[in-house]
Amino acid sequence: RSVPALFGCLGRSADAQWQWQHRTGWKGYDAWNNARIEAAYKKGESLVRVKSGKAKTTAMELFFADMVQFDPKTRNLRKIRRLGLESICDRLTRRLGSHWVAIKSGRPYRLTFEKYQRQRLQYLQSLDEKEYDVSQLYQDAAKSVWTRIALHPFFLTSTALLVVTNCIWIGYEADTNTEALIWNSETRFLVMEQIFCALFSLELLVRLMAFKRKHDCVKDWWFVFDAVLVLLMVGEAWLVQPIMEAAGYKPTDEVGALAVLRIMKILKITRLARFARLFKFFPEMLTMLRGIGRAMASVIVTVVLIGLLL
């Protein structure tokens, strides 16, 4: 290569010209679209949209990973190319920019036309799907009192308040109750445990009786989740003590006490899963957590960069 060409590869890129393949040959984009495409290309974008056609109303989609242009109206797919030198610095900048755009937007790195079309098809199919509603599995509200109770706003609000109250009580009990068995705890802990156990069992019974076919309850993941938690609570509050007495357990047995202590701590930890039920009643919390999860990648990259600079 000549010296100017070598300098262009190592230094700054010259002005580039973008072209698309026509049946009569290669044709160039106008100045405005060319500048827009070049800016997106250098930034590291995988996709850019430009207005083309005679009336400048057709939104063409350009994919840099495949170097193709897609016309959503006619479904035509044409090749594109870039004429002009690209420096090593610009290549590295574009590569880093591609990673940053993928992290910031959540889109795949080097989004190809095939991946984009697959995502678009999945999105269109999701629009046709009916949103899941457990009431579709319930009996007719006009014929079943259980369905009317299960779908009543007061019942739903009371259940949400019960879950919140139970979560608060679990935190209070974890700080103040040192007994492994609920039957050996103070009276206030024993009474509250029986109340929560009875109320959650009643709530689960109402929802079960509302199903048109009782075996359909296993299709509702929230019902299965709640049923497991209620079974653990019933086992701890009503079944563990009689079983231990029938097995001849004595509190003075140190080895047995340690084993029971471990088991009961595990059971109490599983009760913390009830916090997940709040997402059912407050979907905004789930949306907020998803946003935090998406933002964590950008935050981690920022912290790492700051750490390297320091």
Side-chain angles (χ1 to χ4, degrees):
R1 294 184 178 181
S2 62
V3 175
L6 180 61
F7 178 77
C9 290
L10 295 176
R12 300 184 58 184
S13 297
D15 294 336
Q17 177 64 41
W18 286 86
Q19 297 179 341
W20 58 281
Q21 190 179 35
H22 190 259
R23 61 177 177 271
T24 60
W26 291 94
K27 292 189 175 182
Y29 294 91
D30 57 46
W32 188 87
N33 281 331
N34 191 84
R36 178 179 174 84
I37 297 171
E38 180 67 10
Y41 178 77
K42 289 183 177 181
K43 187 179 177 181
E45 297 282 355
S46 299
L47 166 68
V48 64
R49 294 181 177 88
V50 297
K51 292 183 179 180
S52 184
K54 295 181 179 179
K56 302 296 182 183
T57 56
T58 304
M60 300 292 185
E61 299 174 343
L62 278 67
F63 296 86
F64 296 124
D66 302 318
M67 294 299 283
V68 294
Q69 171 188 279
F70 176 67
D71 186 351
K73 183 179 292 185
T74 63
R75 314 295 294 180
N76 289 333
L77 193 65
R78 303 179 185 272
K79 293 182 179 181
I80 61 174
R81 68 181 183 180
R82 180 182 184 273
L83 299 180
L85 297 177
E86 185 178 13
S87 68
I88 296 177
C89 294
D90 282 346
R91 290 180 183 179
L92 292 176
T93 303
R94 181 167 57 85
R95 184 63 61 87
L96 293 175
S98 299
H99 288 284
W100 176 252
V101 169
I103 293 173
K104 183 174 63 174
S105 63
R107 294 194 297 265
Y109 172 69
R110 291 179 60 84
L111 179 66
T112 62
F113 172 73
E114 183 180 356
K115 289 181 180 179
Y116 182 77
Q117 289 297 99
R118 194 183 305 121
Q119 291 179 356
R120 175 181 286 178
L121 180 61
Q122 291 175 354
Y123 175 73
L124 293 177
Q125 290 176 348
S126 65
L127 294 178
D128 297 333
E129 295 177 356
K130 293 183 179 179
E131 186 177 357
Y132 172 76
D133 188 0
V134 67
S135 61
Q136 299 173 358
L137 303 176
Y138 285 173
Q139 304 177 53
D140 187 4
K143 300 179 180 179
S144 174
V145 65
W146 297 105
T147 304
R148 291 196 295 271
I149 295 175
L151 298 180
H152 199 279
F154 178 77
F155 179 80
L156 299 176
T157 304
S158 301
T159 302
L161 292 176
L162 180 63
V163 172
V164 173
T165 305
N166 183 248
C167 292
I168 296 174
W169 179 258
I170 289 175
Y172 172 75
E173 183 183 3
D175 288 338
T176 56
N177 187 12
T178 58
E179 294 291 339
L181 294 175
I182 189 64
W183 293 95
N184 298 332
S185 304
E186 298 179 16
T187 304
R188 65 177 187 271
F189 297 115
L190 180 60
V191 171
M192 291 300 298
E193 188 71 16
Q194 304 305 316
I195 292 176
F196 281 125
C197 191
L199 291 177
F200 280 120
S201 300
L202 179 62
E203 181 231 351
L204 195 68
L205 176 63
V206 170
R207 292 164 58 189
L208 176 63
M209 297 303 297
F211 281 97
K212 186 176 182 179
R213 294 178 298 181
K214 300 302 181 281
H215 62 269
D216 284 342
C217 65
V218 297
K219 298 180 180 179
D220 183 22
W221 289 106
W222 278 116
F223 183 90
V224 175
F225 176 76
D226 295 339
V228 172
L229 293 180
V230 170
L231 288 176
L232 291 175
M233 179 177 284
V234 169
E236 180 185 359
W238 295 343
L239 301 179
V240 171
Q241 185 72 10
I243 292 176
M244 293 179 61
E245 291 182 355
Y249 165 75
K250 297 180 180 180
T252 55
D253 186 359
E254 295 182 359
V255 177
L258 290 176
V260 172
L261 181 61
R262 294 191 188 99
I263 295 174
M264 300 312 299
K265 283 185 176 180
I266 292 174
L267 289 177
K268 288 185 178 181
I269 290 174
T270 57
R271 289 167 55 189
L272 295 177
R274 197 176 298 278
F275 282 103
R277 287 196 62 186
L278 296 178
F279 298 144
K280 178 182 178 181
F281 302 106
F282 305 104
E284 295 82 5
M285 294 178 59
L286 184 59
T287 303
M288 182 179 65
L289 290 178
R290 286 176 177 173
I292 293 175
R294 284 291 184 89
M296 282 299 296
S298 301
V299 172
I300 292 174
V301 172
T302 304
V303 171
V304 171
L305 291 177
I306 293 175
L308 294 176
L309 292 176
L310 295 178

